[in-house]
PDB file of all heavy atoms in Angstrom:
ATOM      1  N   GLY U  88     -10.548  50.749 -33.550  1.00 98.00           N
ATOM      2  CA  GLY U  88     -10.877  50.714 -32.124  1.00 98.00           C
ATOM      3  C   GLY U  88     -11.755  49.539 -31.716  1.00 98.00           C
ATOM      4  O   GLY U  88     -12.007  49.330 -30.536  1.00 98.00           O
ATOM      5  N   MET U  89     -12.228  48.755 -32.687  1.00 98.00           N
ATOM      6  CA  MET U  89     -13.118  47.632 -32.399  1.00 98.00           C
ATOM      7  C   MET U  89     -12.362  46.477 -31.727  1.00 98.00           C
ATOM      8  O   MET U  89     -11.237  46.153 -32.110  1.00 98.00           O
ATOM      9  CB  MET U  89     -13.752  47.137 -33.708  1.00 98.00           C
ATOM     10  CG  MET U  89     -14.771  46.034 -33.522  1.00 98.00           C
ATOM     11  SD  MET U  89     -15.571  45.589 -35.089  1.00 98.00           S
ATOM     12  CE  MET U  89     -16.721  46.961 -35.227  1.00 98.00           C
ATOM     13  N   VAL U  90     -12.978  45.886 -30.708  1.00 98.00           N
ATOM     14  CA  VAL U  90     -12.418  44.708 -30.059  1.00 98.00           C
ATOM     15  C   VAL U  90     -12.805  43.498 -30.909  1.00 98.00           C
ATOM     16  O   VAL U  90     -13.984  43.173 -31.034  1.00 98.00           O
ATOM     17  CB  VAL U  90     -12.925  44.560 -28.607  1.00 98.00           C
ATOM     18  CG1 VAL U  90     -12.395  43.275 -27.980  1.00 98.00           C
ATOM     19  CG2 VAL U  90     -12.508  45.772 -27.777  1.00 98.00           C
ATOM     20  N   ILE U  91     -11.793  42.861 -31.517  1.00 98.00           N
ATOM     21  CA  ILE U  91     -12.044  41.751 -32.431  1.00 98.00           C
ATOM     22  C   ILE U  91     -11.633  40.397 -31.869  1.00 98.00           C
ATOM     23  O   ILE U  91     -11.951  39.371 -32.453  1.00 98.00           O
ATOM     24  CB  ILE U  91     -11.363  41.972 -33.796  1.00 98.00           C
ATOM     25  CG1 ILE U  91      -9.845  42.056 -33.639  1.00 98.00           C
ATOM     26  CG2 ILE U  91     -11.934  43.202 -34.490  1.00 98.00           C
ATOM     27  CD1 ILE U  91      -9.079  41.900 -34.936  1.00 98.00           C
ATOM     28  N   ILE U  92     -10.923  40.391 -30.754  1.00 98.00           N
ATOM     29  CA  ILE U  92     -10.545  39.140 -30.076  1.00 98.00           C
ATOM     30  C   ILE U  92     -11.108  39.219 -28.672  1.00 98.00           C
ATOM     31  O   ILE U  92     -10.876  40.199 -27.965  1.00 98.00           O
ATOM     32  CB  ILE U  92      -9.015  38.952 -30.042  1.00 98.00           C
ATOM     33  CG1 ILE U  92      -8.457  38.836 -31.464  1.00 98.00           C
ATOM     34  CG2 ILE U  92      -8.638  37.721 -29.220  1.00 98.00           C
ATOM     35  CD1 ILE U  92      -6.944  38.819 -31.544  1.00 98.00           C
ATOM     36  N   LYS U  93     -11.838  38.175 -28.275  1.00 98.00           N
ATOM     37  CA  LYS U  93     -12.501  38.213 -26.967  1.00 98.00           C
ATOM     38  C   LYS U  93     -12.389  36.888 -26.228  1.00 98.00           C
ATOM     39  O   LYS U  93     -12.677  35.827 -26.782  1.00 98.00           O
ATOM     40  CB  LYS U  93     -13.985  38.548 -27.134  1.00 98.00           C
ATOM     41  CG  LYS U  93     -14.249  39.934 -27.684  1.00 98.00           C
ATOM     42  CD  LYS U  93     -15.727  40.258 -27.733  1.00 98.00           C
ATOM     43  CE  LYS U  93     -15.951  41.668 -28.250  1.00 98.00           C
ATOM     44  NZ  LYS U  93     -17.345  42.060 -28.217  1.00 98.00           N
ATOM     45  N   GLY U  94     -11.967  36.974 -24.967  1.00 98.00           N
ATOM     46  CA  GLY U  94     -12.133  35.909 -24.000  1.00 98.00           C
ATOM     47  C   GLY U  94     -11.293  34.666 -24.128  1.00 98.00           C
ATOM     48  O   GLY U  94     -11.736  33.594 -23.730  1.00 98.00           O
ATOM     49  N   LEU U  95     -10.059  34.749 -24.628  1.00 98.00           N
ATOM     50  CA  LEU U  95      -9.212  33.564 -24.707  1.00 98.00           C
ATOM     51  C   LEU U  95      -8.561  33.289 -23.362  1.00 98.00           C
ATOM     52  O   LEU U  95      -8.189  34.228 -22.648  1.00 98.00           O
ATOM     53  CB  LEU U  95      -8.131  33.738 -25.778  1.00 98.00           C
ATOM     54  CG  LEU U  95      -8.557  33.502 -27.214  1.00 98.00           C
ATOM     55  CD1 LEU U  95      -9.411  34.634 -27.729  1.00 98.00           C
ATOM     56  CD2 LEU U  95      -7.359  33.316 -28.096  1.00 98.00           C
ATOM     57  N   GLY U  96      -8.404  32.022 -23.040  1.00 97.00           N
ATOM     58  CA  GLY U  96      -7.747  31.614 -21.804  1.00 97.00           C
ATOM     59  C   GLY U  96      -6.582  30.693 -22.092  1.00 97.00           C
ATOM     60  O   GLY U  96      -6.488  30.091 -23.165  1.00 97.00           O
ATOM     61  N   ALA U  97      -5.684  30.571 -21.129  1.00 96.00           N
ATOM     62  CA  ALA U  97      -4.514  29.712 -21.274  1.00 96.00           C
ATOM     63  C   ALA U  97      -4.941  28.259 -21.447  1.00 96.00           C
ATOM     64  O   ALA U  97      -5.842  27.777 -20.763  1.00 96.00           O
ATOM     65  CB  ALA U  97      -3.614  29.851 -20.049  1.00 96.00           C
ATOM     66  N   ASP U  98      -4.279  27.568 -22.389  1.00 96.00           N
ATOM     67  CA  ASP U  98      -4.578  26.170 -22.691  1.00 96.00           C
ATOM     68  C   ASP U  98      -3.307  25.513 -23.216  1.00 96.00           C
ATOM     69  O   ASP U  98      -3.018  25.576 -24.411  1.00 96.00           O
ATOM     70  CB  ASP U  98      -5.700  26.084 -23.729  1.00 96.00           C
ATOM     71  CG  ASP U  98      -6.104  24.653 -24.061  1.00 96.00           C
ATOM     72  OD1 ASP U  98      -5.685  23.721 -23.339  1.00 96.00           O
ATOM     73  OD2 ASP U  98      -6.825  24.474 -25.046  1.00 96.00           O
ATOM     74  N   GLY U  99      -2.533  24.916 -22.311  1.00 94.00           N
ATOM     75  CA  GLY U  99      -1.271  24.310 -22.733  1.00 94.00           C
ATOM     76  C   GLY U  99      -0.303  25.371 -23.202  1.00 94.00           C
ATOM     77  O   GLY U  99      -0.023  26.322 -22.495  1.00 94.00           O
ATOM     78  N   ASP U 100       0.171  25.252 -24.440  1.00 94.00           N
ATOM     79  CA  ASP U 100       1.146  26.214 -24.968  1.00 94.00           C
ATOM     80  C   ASP U 100       0.504  27.305 -25.816  1.00 94.00           C
ATOM     81  O   ASP U 100       1.190  28.023 -26.529  1.00 94.00           O
ATOM     82  CB  ASP U 100       2.232  25.491 -25.768  1.00 94.00           C
ATOM     83  CG  ASP U 100       1.692  24.814 -27.019  1.00 94.00           C
ATOM     84  OD1 ASP U 100       0.460  24.649 -27.151  1.00 94.00           O
ATOM     85  OD2 ASP U 100       2.518  24.434 -27.876  1.00 94.00           O
ATOM     86  N   LYS U 101      -0.833  27.429 -25.755  1.00 96.00           N
ATOM     87  CA  LYS U 101      -1.512  28.465 -26.532  1.00 96.00           C
ATOM     88  C   LYS U 101      -2.680  29.035 -25.748  1.00 96.00           C
ATOM     89  O   LYS U 101      -2.938  28.633 -24.622  1.00 96.00           O
ATOM     90  CB  LYS U 101      -1.963  27.913 -27.882  1.00 96.00           C
ATOM     91  CG  LYS U 101      -2.881  26.724 -27.804  1.00 96.00           C
ATOM     92  CD  LYS U 101      -3.104  26.158 -29.197  1.00 96.00           C
ATOM     93  CE  LYS U 101      -3.778  24.815 -29.126  1.00 96.00           C
ATOM     94  NZ  LYS U 101      -3.894  24.209 -30.428  1.00 96.00           N
ATOM     95  N   TRP U 102      -3.374  29.977 -26.349  1.00 97.00           N
ATOM     96  CA  TRP U 102      -4.550  30.624 -25.770  1.00 97.00           C
ATOM     97  C   TRP U 102      -5.752  30.222 -26.614  1.00 97.00           C
ATOM     98  O   TRP U 102      -5.719  30.359 -27.839  1.00 97.00           O
ATOM     99  CB  TRP U 102      -4.382  32.136 -25.766  1.00 97.00           C
ATOM    100  CG  TRP U 102      -3.220  32.585 -24.926  1.00 97.00           C
ATOM    101  CD1 TRP U 102      -1.921  32.693 -25.323  1.00 97.00           C
ATOM    102  CD2 TRP U 102      -3.257  32.951 -23.557  1.00 97.00           C
ATOM    103  NE1 TRP U 102      -1.147  33.113 -24.281  1.00 97.00           N
ATOM    104  CE2 TRP U 102      -1.944  33.282 -23.182  1.00 97.00           C
ATOM    105  CE3 TRP U 102      -4.271  33.048 -22.613  1.00 97.00           C
ATOM    106  CZ2 TRP U 102      -1.621  33.696 -21.902  1.00 97.00           C
ATOM    107  CZ3 TRP U 102      -3.948  33.466 -21.328  1.00 97.00           C
ATOM    108  CH2 TRP U 102      -2.638  33.781 -20.985  1.00 97.00           C
ATOM    109  N   THR U 103      -6.816  29.721 -25.991  1.00 97.00           N
ATOM    110  CA  THR U 103      -7.987  29.243 -26.730  1.00 97.00           C
ATOM    111  C   THR U 103      -9.265  29.593 -25.978  1.00 97.00           C
ATOM    112  O   THR U 103      -9.232  30.211 -24.925  1.00 97.00           O
ATOM    113  CB  THR U 103      -7.943  27.703 -26.913  1.00 97.00           C
ATOM    114  OG1 THR U 103      -8.028  27.084 -25.626  1.00 97.00           O
ATOM    115  CG2 THR U 103      -6.682  27.240 -27.612  1.00 97.00           C
TER     116      THR U 103
END
Side-chain angles (χ1 to χ4, degrees):
M89 184 176 282
V90 176
I91 62 164
I92 297 173
K93 295 184 178 184
L95 280 73
D98 182 12
D100 65 345
K101 58 188 168 185
W102 298 86
T103 64

